[in-house]
Amino acid sequence: MIIVHSLAASKELKKSTVINLNGVKIGGKEIVVMAGPCAVESKKQIVETAKAVKNAGAKVLRGGVFKPRTSPYSFQGLGKKGLEYLKKAKEETGLPVVTEVTDSKTVKLVSKYCDILQIGSRNMQNFSLLKEVSRINKPVLLKRGMSATLNELLNSAEYILSGGNHRVILCERGIRTFETYTKNTLDLNVVPAAKELTHLPIIVDPSHGTGRSSLVSSMSKAAIAAGADGLIIEVHPKPKHALSDGQQALTLEQFSALMQNLKKTAKSVGRTI
Amino acid sequence: MIIVHSLAASKELKKSTVINLNGVKIGGKEIVVMAGPCAVESKKQIVETAKAVKNAGAKVLRGGVFKPRTSPYSFQGLGKKGLEYLKKAKEETGLPVVTEVTDSKTVKLVSKYCDILQIGSRNMQNFSLLKEVSRINKPVLLKRGMSATLNELLNSAEYILSGGNHRVILCERGIRTFETYTKNTLDLNVVPAAKELTHLPIIVDPSHGTGRSSLVSSMSKAAIAAGADGLIIEVHPKPKHALSDGQQALTLEQFSALMQNLKKTAKSVGRTI
Amino acid sequence: MIIVHSLAASKELKKSTVINLNGVKIGGKEIVVMAGPCAVESKKQIVETAKAVKNAGAKVLRGGVFKPRTSPYSFQGLGKKGLEYLKKAKEETGLPVVTEVTDSKTVKLVSKYCDILQIGSRNMQNFSLLKEVSRINKPVLLKRGMSATLNELLNSAEYILSGGNHRVILCERGIRTFETYTKNTLDLNVVPAAKELTHLPIIVDPSHGTGRSSLVSSMSKAAIAAGADGLIIEVHPKPKHALSDGQQALTLEQFSALMQNLKKTAKSVGRTI
Amino acid sequence: MIIVHSLAASKELKKSTVINLNGVKIGGKEIVVMAGPCAVESKKQIVETAKAVKNAGAKVLRGGVFKPRTSPYSFQGLGKKGLEYLKKAKEETGLPVVTEVTDSKTVKLVSKYCDILQIGSRNMQNFSLLKEVSRINKPVLLKRGMSATLNELLNSAEYILSGGNHRVILCERGIRTFETYTKNTLDLNVVPAAKELTHLPIIVDPSHGTGRSSLVSSMSKAAIAAGADGLIIEVHPKPKHALSDGQQALTLEQFSALMQNLKKTAKSVGRTI
């Protein structure tokens, strides 16, 4: 039996938290889909993608500008210039924007440009960063670490909540297992488990979770059936030319078709999309 | 990239295998639910459960009589007497029966009483047993090992196929991870992944996969949404008094309610239940 | 805190067990080295290896004749013919012989030819096989499963002890982790941990444990320093031509040099080799 | 086969790196032991411990002042006051000091007080922090992440090397596995593996690596036998009253006895301590 010391995140305190982002409600009846490229690569790329995912039904635009990469010699993201491009895409579409923040020093900068700040899986236990985002007035998308337990994820959320920021969205993005066919193993058990332990909304990232675009559709449906409050999906105009993680990105057409399909799954569990 | 040497199991050979069991088709449009107690405990218990799960819509009765237990001092199952009780339950309900076989010495005995022989996760790489069941004329339910990769599961299936038994049903039943809230981590990624690599049907065991009855309903829906061909679910008239794994068994009423719910999920992916 | 229900294996019952095999004492002050090829391939190969490892100081000859292989199309071992070759090697050198038994049906046959029966890692929880070897009058070398805990290993030993066979030798042979440089991760922590919990001797297999011959020497020393009662090492006259696991086998010369080196390590912990 | 893109860390570039810290040479023939409490708790505690570990033969004092803790409600360390106490302990004993840095904002502060900056396992892929310490003129002790591969560890080292700081000491501190008897599983395979791939020195932390003080002695010997260039060991005057991780700390007397014992192990591999 697990003991959750996470008082502020605990289900005992509150039934559910709905995060309202200019009308986009995360944690309510509607399933919220966030979509966009792994990395912002150019103004054209992000604006084109933003328009397409909006047309398909996405409610939030995703795009990385500070990329945590295993090797220092891999593409590290466009940095501040990428933030400008995200802002442009937001202006053109009205979509709120989520991007990853990787350093306590850049939290303020990123929060000027973006609507949701993402803490990536490698930083789930970067407690300095968690404390920093606990002091800003923006929702935080907190991704589960690659080998973290649910209890550890909730304790990391507690760092943000106890610091004064109550708008935390949990995100399952795949854990490390021995399987080699998939890059990670998307763990959907954590969705109903989180619903038993916490009032915070939880969304699912089937793109990183599987690492294979061909599995994204099935696992998106499964995530909704399991009770997820939303999805975050990688979409790229030309996945084969993506500067990072192209093998897991959907094309604009694939994403549009997926969104149509997900309506049926949402309906089967009494929700909309 | 994985290389599947599993010629006989390969998708390249065949699109899909449908296993016909006196009219119950596993791997077809209909999702097949197998249900029953972890262990056969008495004639009354198994007959009562068989009637209830049949009424609720289950198509196959499950019940263990040779129980692989971590400790030699735990309940080891009723053995041959349990087989007699399963036969009785089959006579009363007409439901075909699946039970686990744990020793090459008892394969013939078990195949006289049962319609499907289960190879448990601890025996997925018990190659002597795999060779033995490759020579009988009954379908085999092959459970994935607790830390096995999909490639290893397919290679184990290949032992059965290459020995002459072409009726193999794969089963995902949860893998070992670092999570402690659930007993195992049900890995649904393996469902669409198996559909890419093999023509064999694949079913899901959300009871062992999570180890918590409260999570079975959500994960059953998710399994169907992910593309599973069936489910195998633990049901017990009185879970609290079960001789093994009571914490993961549904009551007869809970199972009946779940079956109603699953119809909507099946419909959402163009299938029936 | 772990609770060990393994009464017969428990340290509380007994300080230590020394298994006497015609003068070779396993679990005593002397560290016992078992050596030989992964698989018996020919009479010449096993006899040549037996002579060489004996000269180098090995006290037991190892060689597999029933090989558990992931794929049914890999070399499965010479079977009964291999047992004959092992017998010949024993006659020529006087070395007692250890080989793996994989099926309850062949336990009696193998026990006619061999001095120690090995239960491989894939069969650590093949409870039928454990019960079978609990009824024979030969020591059993019980290998830890690839993802098994120490508690599970001790419970498997308990199956053998409670069945009446008190001569069980535990063996650490590497666990599955995320590391890719090594085939497995040799877990030496389990050596002093086992010494705290059980009176049974424990030996270490650095060949399977690392999967790389270049690491065998360092890990052999480390195993002895950690308190292991023995080692089981793969040695092959021509590793590059081995029918299985050649990349982890030492040449006869490498093994001989290693044995010289290990004397210093044994001495540093007050033991001999 | 692993491909190491880590050019600056690669063995191909250089045979070995010896880091000279005012005469203390890490990576040379002498095995360097770093010792001290998990957390600095008071001036008295750290000064008393420093004197004792110096007398016993330790060459570097360890002590945490910024503690990364799973829960925000656990003791977080003394912060700057702790740095003052470490400085005091250094003045009294002459021992160089190593402490963990957890935030890019405090790197400069910590480098004023300490001789080696530690990057903890949770921050192994905190790339902003790695870049920050790549620009300072102090050696960095880089701990392997709890589920990281050797390749990932070397890539993280590469962030520091490629930024201009060539004095990186690798540290194995236990990985997460399924074992429950130990807190982590100390992975000694990584020691000889690192020696094959990189010229950087590597030390071992048997305290975090096992989480049990009773296993520290055996695993320290094993680490040296495996080829480690040093050890980092938790020592506390009163482990039962420690504010964090007391169950893995040695008493001053235990540490002193251990150091005597390790001399024999060091000698057996041609080194000194």
Side-chain angles (χ1 to χ4, degrees), chain D:
Chain D
M1 183 57 93
I2 206 174
I3 298 156
V4 181
H5 300 282
S6 309
L7 299 185
S10 172
K11 189 86 175 184
E12 290 171 22
L13 200 72
K14 198 177 169 183
K15 194 161 169 287
S16 70
T17 288
V18 177
I19 294 169
N20 194 327
L21 199 72
N22 299 328
V24 179
K25 289 176 187 166
I26 301 166
K29 195 188 172 189
E30 187 182 354
I31 288 155
V32 174
V33 178
M34 310 181 182
C38 181
V40 176
E41 297 169 6
S42 69
K43 197 193 293 183
K44 184 174 175 299
Q45 172 238 26
I46 192 67
V47 172
E48 179 186 350
T49 306
K51 289 179 178 171
V53 300
K54 188 189 180 185
N55 282 341
K59 294 289 161 61
V60 178
L61 175 67
R62 64 149 289 158
V65 302
F66 297 107
K67 301 301 301 171
R69 302 301 296 272
T70 302
S71 163
Y73 309 124
S74 299
F75 175 58
Q76 307 275 316
L78 294 182
K80 203 185 163 186
K81 185 174 285 183
L83 291 173
E84 301 280 359
Y85 297 162
L86 279 173
K87 191 181 168 191
K88 179 74 180 162
K90 180 181 173 177
E91 286 167 4
E92 299 252 344
T93 59
L95 288 180
V97 164
V98 57
T99 201
E100 182 169 354
V101 62
T102 56
D103 189 347
S104 54
K105 282 179 176 171
T106 52
V107 166
K108 278 187 188 155
L109 174 71
V110 173
S111 64
K112 272 184 208 158
Y113 286 88
C114 296
D115 303 282
I116 305 176
L117 270 68
Q118 177 184 312
I119 301 292
S121 53
R122 287 175 184 78
N123 283 312
M124 189 198 87
Q125 293 195 318
N126 180 340
F127 302 115
S128 301
L129 186 56
L130 296 179
K131 287 174 184 170
E132 197 73 27
V133 298
S134 80
R135 291 186 284 262
I136 59 159
N137 187 22
K138 298 271 177 175
V140 175
L141 179 63
L142 176 65
K143 288 198 155 187
R144 181 185 182 193
M146 272 180 275
S147 301
T149 65
L150 176 54
N151 188 38
E152 290 166 341
L153 174 63
L154 293 178
N155 270 291
S156 288
E158 194 74 10
Y159 268 91
I160 305 171
L161 297 169
S162 67
N165 186 344
H166 293 280
R167 295 192 291 169
V168 174
I169 306 155
L170 305 176
C171 181
E172 159 61 25
R173 50 77 72 201
I175 54 172
R176 194 167 263 196
T177 70
F178 306 134
E179 183 55 60
T180 55
Y181 187 71
T182 47
K183 192 167 98 177
N184 294 295
T185 294
L186 190 70
D187 173 12
L188 294 181
N189 308 270
V190 88
V191 174
K195 292 291 173 196
E196 293 186 350
L197 295 175
T198 182
H199 54 81
L200 297 172
I202 181 164
I203 71 168
V204 168
D205 178 347
S207 306
H208 283 93
T210 64
R212 296 179 82 105
S213 58
S214 63
L215 302 179
V216 167
S217 174
S218 296
M219 296 311 287
S220 293
K221 291 178 204 168
I224 291 174
D229 295 305
L231 297 168
I232 181 163
I233 296 178
E234 292 200 359
V235 179
H236 194 283
K238 293 180 182 172
K240 286 185 184 165
H241 298 94
L243 292 182
S244 70
D245 288 345
Q247 73 290 347
Q248 70 198 33
L250 299 185
T251 62
L252 307 181
E253 295 73 26
Q254 287 170 332
F255 177 69
S256 183
L258 173 61
M259 288 297 285
Q260 286 307 309
N261 256 315
L262 294 181
K263 285 181 185 171
K264 285 180 270 183
T265 323
K267 193 184 166 196
S268 77
V269 288
R271 299 180 84 163
T272 57
I273 196 162

Side-chain angles (χ1 to χ4, degrees), chain A residues 2 144 147 149-150 178-179 181 185-187 189 192-193 196-197 210 214-215 218-219 221-222 225-226 264 268, chain B residues 2 144 147 149-150 175 178-179 181 185-187 189 192-193 196-197 210 214-215 218-219 221-222 225-226 264 268:
Chain A
I2 205 174
R144 181 186 181 191
S147 301
T149 64
L150 176 53
F178 306 134
E179 184 54 58
Y181 187 71
T185 295
L186 190 69
D187 173 12
N189 307 270
E196 293 186 350
L197 295 176
T210 63
S214 64
L215 301 179
S218 295
M219 295 312 287
K221 291 178 204 168
K264 285 181 270 183
S268 78
Chain B
I2 205 174
R144 182 185 181 192
S147 302
T149 64
L150 176 54
I175 53 172
F178 306 134
E179 183 55 59
Y181 187 71
T185 295
L186 190 70
D187 172 12
N189 307 270
E196 293 186 350
L197 295 176
T210 63
S214 64
L215 301 179
S218 295
M219 295 311 287
K221 290 179 205 169
K264 284 180 272 184
S268 77

